[in-house]
Amino acid sequence: MRLSVNVDHVATIRQARMAGEPDPVWAAVEAELAGACGITIHLRGDRRHIQDRDLKLLKETVAGVLNLEMSTSDEMLDIARDVRPQMCTLVPEGEGELTTQGGLDIISEEESVRKAVSVLKKSGIMVSIFIDPDVVQVGRAKAVGADIVELHTGIYAEATDPDEIEREFQKVRVAAIAAQEMGLKAHGGHGLTYLNIGPIAAIQEIDELSIGHSIVSRAVLVGMDGAVAEMISLIEGA
Ligand code: PXP
């Protein structure tokens, strides 16, 4: 199982002062040197953290896979076509939300998702869709032509009651198995921390995890190298 480090919140600190530091490009170099297989960023319509400049520089500097999280808007499709990151993850984007709220509902958004997948694939970009861990959504992701589903682990991560944790964990596991059976790669992400990563990292059908907030939070105190290495050792230990 591989780790893609999301460096959005390095940019959040920078944007708090509209300054030049800390630079998510530097953070990405450190994360890859510490063993990350790639870097994830979310270019939001409101540019609240990652900027267009970051995307362009990261395209030139990331050694592994650069994964661009984006909405299905025409603006984002034009940017992806222009910059051509290796991978794009389609996510829902709500105005004013603190972070992505749940997976993309491919059933109600089918037309725009299908169009986005087609545009991105024509540009040679691998396409992932961030969905709730639900077998029906996995099937719709396959139907619209995605290569990968990223399963939303946020509900699992936020659960506190042991029965609820187990229930939410099983949803992720079952959806990952279904994805593999349908010929899709399964990734996972959202809300994962050093404390809750274990069971998710033990799901054999999940190839990759995308983790941001927890790693950047620790990196502020111990450095990116130590924060990434510790997460990788927990993933490998699972
Ligand atoms: N995956 C997706 C699709 C996301 O939107 C995010 C948050 O940007 C993450 C993973 C990472 O979540 P977290 O920052 O909670 O680790």
Side-chain angles (χ1 to χ4, degrees):
M1 190 183 281
R2 296 147 23 110
L3 171 66
S4 180
V5 175
N6 179 317
V7 295
D8 288 353
H9 294 305
V10 176
T12 300
I13 299 174
R14 178 189 62 193
Q15 297 312 110
R17 282 291 175 94
M18 297 293 177
E21 63 177 11
D23 193 330
V25 178
W26 289 31
V29 172
E30 287 273 327
E32 287 201 289
L33 285 173
C37 74
I39 298 299
T40 295
I41 50 172
H42 185 172
L43 185 68
R44 286 184 168 267
D46 64 9
R47 305 299 194 275
R48 78 164 77 139
H49 39 52
I50 292 294
Q51 306 296 308
D52 299 62
R53 163 266 185 209
D54 303 327
L55 169 62
K56 288 191 181 122
L57 285 177
L58 287 166
K59 172 65 200 311
E60 298 305 319
T61 53
V62 168
V65 173
L66 175 63
N67 172 31
L68 172 64
E69 288 177 10
M70 53 179 260
S71 72
T72 56
S73 71
D74 287 341
E75 181 200 12
M76 288 302 148
L77 289 174
D78 285 346
I79 290 171
R81 254 194 305 220
D82 180 33
V83 179
R84 294 193 188 215
Q86 289 94 330
M87 177 175 155
C88 286
T89 300
L90 300 174
V91 299
E93 212 173 279
E95 225 174 279
E97 65 189 2
L98 279 181
T99 182
T100 312
Q101 302 293 308
L104 195 54
D105 179 3
I106 307 178
I107 297 161
S108 64
E109 310 266 338
E110 177 148 352
E111 204 179 314
S112 59
V113 175
R114 194 180 278 279
K115 177 187 157 201
V117 172
S118 156
V119 165
L120 295 171
K121 292 198 76 163
K122 274 190 197 132
S123 298
I125 299 169
M126 255 188 313
V127 182
S128 174
I129 308 180
F130 182 59
I131 54 169
D132 288 339
D134 169 22
V135 174
V136 176
Q137 294 286 347
V138 176
R140 295 321 297 160
K142 174 77 183 172
V144 299
D147 304 294
I148 302 162
V149 282
E150 182 182 330
L151 302 171
H152 178 40
T153 52
I155 309 294
Y156 157 80
E158 278 168 20
T160 47
D161 170 66
D163 289 344
E164 194 193 353
I165 294 173
E166 178 58 21
R167 231 181 5 258
E168 294 304 327
F169 167 73
Q170 289 302 338
K171 285 186 195 166
V172 177
R173 196 179 70 83
V174 167
I177 293 169
Q180 199 181 59
E181 283 172 359
M182 290 181 211
L184 293 168
K185 281 195 184 308
H187 292 182
H190 214 280
L192 295 173
T193 69
Y194 296 85
L195 298 179
N196 66 25
I197 187 78
I200 296 290
I203 300 175
Q204 307 246 330
E205 289 77 11
I206 296 184
D207 293 323
E208 188 173 309
L209 296 174
S210 166
I211 308 181
H213 188 265
S214 184
I215 290 177
V216 172
S217 300
R218 184 169 292 214
V220 168
L221 301 177
V222 307
M224 187 57 91
D225 179 61
V228 171
E230 175 72 7
M231 190 59 90
I232 289 175
S233 105
L234 290 173
I235 291 170
E236 287 175 351

